[in-house]
Amino acid sequence: MIKILNAENIKDDDILNRTSAVYPEVEKAVREIIGRVVREGDRALRELTLKFDGADVDCFEVSPEETERAFAETDAEFIDILRSAAANISEFHSMQKRTGFEIQKDGILLGQRFLPVDRAGIYVPGGTASYPSTVLMNAIPAKIAGVGEVIMVTPPDKKGNIKKEILCAAKIAGVDRIFKCGGAQAIAALAYGTETVPAVDKIVGPGNIYVATAKKEVFGKTGIDMIAGPSEILIIADGTADAEYLAADMLSQAEHDRLASAVLIVTDRNLGLKTAEELESQLSALPRASIAAAAIRDNSKIIIAQSTEQAAEISNRIAPEHLELMVDKPEKLLEKIRNAGSVFLGKYSPEPLGDYFAGPNHTLPTSGTARFASPLSVDDFIKRSSYIRYGKEALSAVGNQIMAFAAREGLDAHAAAIKKRLK
C-alpha cells in the first residue's frame, strides 16, 4: 500500500508533494460568511451556528456556572492529568519570556520593550470532537505573555453545549471568556467583534479548511498565528529502530485526516519492508482505519537512504511538522537538523508525547513552513516596541548627516524637522 522509494532516485516532486490546492468555492463561502457577521453581528452568528452546527444558541457566552458544573462532573483522574500537562506546558513556556534592553551613551537613550497584546482569541475545534490539549497549548502561552484577556471560541454540540473536557481545560489554563460558536463565523466574530463577542488583536488555534481560510481572510484586520495545513510526521530510523514502533508512530498522524502524511526515511531496507508490513497489520485494528489508510496510500512513503546524514539532508528539504529521530545517537543527528517544527529524540519519545504532555507546544508549522516559521510560543502574543531619546548635543552631532540622508531621498520636510532644531 505505501510507496517505497530509493533516496538516489527521488526528486523534489517525490518528497515535496504536499497538498496545496486552492478551493475557490471555500474562499467564496468564507468571504460571504465574514461579510454577514460584519454586517449583522450576533444575528448572523446565531443563524450560522444553527445552519452549520445544528445548535439554536440564545446566549453565546458560557457562564461561570456552566464551567463550574463541568468541572464538578469531570472525573478527578482526568482533572489531575490536565493539571499535570498544564504544569509541564507552563514550565517550558515560562522560559520563553523576554525582557527589554537599553543602550545609553553620549546623551542618547535607545531601548526596546516587549508588550503583550491586549486581547487574544483562541479557536478550539469542537462539536463532535474534543481537544482540551488545544486549549492548554494556546491559552497558557498567552497567559504567560501577560495578555490582558484571553477569549475562546469553540463550536457547540446540537444541544448548544460545550464538552466538559474543553471547559475544564479552559478553567485550568486561565481562559477569561468562552463563546459557543465555531467555523469561519467565529473567526469573523473574533476579528471584527459583534454585540456579544469582543474583537481581539490576535487569533490562534487550529481548525478545518473553512477556519484556516477565514484566518487568512481576516489577517491584517487582526494578527494570526499561522495557516495550518494537514498534519505530518517524518521519522529517520537506522537499524536499531523497531518496526512496530515506527508503524505505530506513522499511523498516529495518518489517523488525523486523509490529507495527513507520514514519511519514514530508513537506512535499513529490511526494516523498511518490515515497517510496511506492520502498517498493514496495525491499520486493521484502528477505529479510524479508512482515514489512516487513505493518508498512508496517497500521501505517505518509505525512503531507503544510504546513511543517516543523507536522511537528515532529505528531511531538511521536507521541513516536517513533527520529526522523530529513531536512531542510535539521536542527539548527534539533531545537530544536522535545520528545518523541523518539533523534534523527538529516541525510541521512547513518540510524537503523542508532544501532543499532550511534555511541555513544548503542539501548534507547529506545517507544509514545509518550518523552513522559516516556528512553533506557537509566548512570542506569538508579544509585540516589540522601541524608543529613542537624543539630547540637544547628541542631535547636533549627527544632524547634518541626517539632513544629507533625507536630501538623497528627496524628503525635504524630514530634513527641515532636523534643521529647525539645529538653529
Side-chain angles (χ1 to χ4, degrees), residues 54-355:
D56 190 1
V57 179
D58 289 326
C59 179
F60 287 108
E61 186 162 9
V62 174
S63 68
E65 292 75 20
E66 286 179 86
T67 300
E68 292 300 330
R69 185 166 58 250
F71 212 78
E73 293 175 355
T74 301
D75 61 281
E77 181 183 11
F78 186 65
I79 295 293
D80 287 342
I81 291 171
L82 285 175
R83 285 180 169 146
S84 295
N88 292 340
I89 296 165
S90 296
E91 180 183 24
F92 182 86
H93 288 80
S94 292
M95 300 298 292
Q96 298 174 341
K97 293 183 70 174
R98 298 211 214 182
T99 56
F101 62 84
E102 284 190 349
I103 300 170
Q104 297 190 50
K105 60 180 181 181
D106 304 326
I108 299 170
L109 172 64
L110 308 174
Q112 181 169 276
R113 304 167 70 201
F114 291 94
L115 302 167
V117 299
D118 292 333
R119 186 183 283 144
I122 295 172
Y123 187 92
V124 178
T128 59
S130 177
Y131 296 105
S133 60
T134 297
V135 181
L136 301 181
M137 290 290 183
N138 286 271
I140 289 173
K143 300 301 285 189
I144 290 173
V147 173
E149 192 174 31
V150 176
I151 307 296
M152 189 177 93
V153 295
T154 188
D157 62 21
K158 294 186 183 302
K159 294 181 180 180
N161 298 319
I162 304 299
K163 288 187 178 294
K164 59 185 180 181
E165 295 86 354
I166 296 289
L167 296 179
C168 290
K171 179 178 172 64
I172 289 170
V175 172
D176 295 292
R177 299 176 70 184
I178 306 168
F179 293 89
K180 304 173 182 179
C181 56
Q185 61 270 25
I187 299 300
L190 289 175
Y192 292 92
T194 70
E195 298 91 327
T196 301
V197 182
V200 303
D201 302 302
K202 187 155 191 178
I203 301 171
V204 302
N208 63 20
I209 188 171
Y210 288 89
V211 170
T213 302
K215 287 170 69 177
K216 183 178 178 181
E217 288 291 327
V218 303
F219 177 64
K221 172 63 178 176
T222 185
I224 63 171
D225 51 353
M226 62 184 74
I227 306 295
S231 188
E232 54 194 38
I233 187 171
L234 189 151
I235 305 173
I236 297 177
D238 62 15
T240 66
D242 187 307
E244 187 177 4
Y245 294 176
L246 296 175
D249 292 359
M250 293 173 76
L251 291 173
S252 73
Q253 291 306 294
E255 73 171 351
H256 271 291
D257 70 61
R258 296 172 184 274
L259 297 178
S261 69
V263 177
L264 170 64
I265 309 177
V266 62
T267 58
D268 184 318
R269 173 174 285 275
N270 288 333
L271 180 59
L273 296 174
K274 189 173 181 181
T275 301
E277 294 175 359
E278 272 290 331
L279 284 170
E280 296 282 352
S281 174
Q282 293 184 29
L283 257 174
S284 61
L286 288 180
R288 295 168 65 89
S290 61
I291 294 172
I296 292 295
R297 179 187 67 242
D298 299 334
N299 311 312
S300 305
K301 55 189 67 68
I302 295 173
I303 300 172
I304 312 301
Q306 297 301 308
S307 65
T308 55
E309 289 77 10
Q310 185 184 42
E313 188 275 328
I314 296 171
S315 175
N316 285 326
R317 287 158 62 192
I318 294 175
E321 177 189 14
H322 305 97
L323 172 61
E324 290 186 1
L325 302 183
M326 300 271 268
V327 297
D328 182 39
K329 297 179 179 178
E331 289 83 2
K332 184 176 181 181
L333 186 58
L334 178 63
E335 298 173 2
K336 299 184 182 298
I337 301 301
R338 301 187 308 279
N339 304 323
S342 189
V343 185
F344 300 79
L345 307 177
K347 64 174 65 176
Y348 297 110
S349 304
E351 184 276 332
L353 187 66
D355 272 350

